[in-house]
Amino acid sequence: MEPLNRPHAIIEFCLAPLGLDPDAEATKEVRKRLDHVIKTFQAKAVKPVSIDFSTMPSQVINEAAHGYE
């Protein structure tokens, strides 16, 4: 996987597992807010920012430990 640097690509990658309805108002609002946050962060960063999700360690959630069996 190549590092992602476009806000749209980062948002799509992060939201894909949720299977959200693309036409729902809530989905549109989430995308709008995330787009604003990512663009603001990139504008304030000293150097260009890319996200490489392939180097991110996996997270295992133990649902039984939280009572969500």
Side-chain angles (χ1 to χ4, degrees), residues 6-63:
R6 290 182 12 253
H8 179 74
I10 295 167
I11 293 167
E12 290 304 314
F13 181 85
C14 291
L15 295 182
L18 299 176
L20 301 174
D21 176 7
D23 297 322
E25 282 304 313
T27 303
K28 291 176 185 177
E29 184 65 22
V30 167
R31 290 179 195 280
K32 184 174 90 172
R33 290 180 185 197
L34 288 172
D35 185 68
H36 175 72
V37 168
I38 292 168
K39 286 180 179 176
T40 301
F41 178 77
Q42 288 179 330
K44 299 214 183 264
V46 176
K47 61 180 185 174
V49 177
S50 293
I51 308 297
D52 186 356
F53 288 104
S54 66
T55 62
M56 201 170 136
S58 296
Q59 300 230 351
V60 177
I61 298 172
N62 182 348
E63 292 181 351

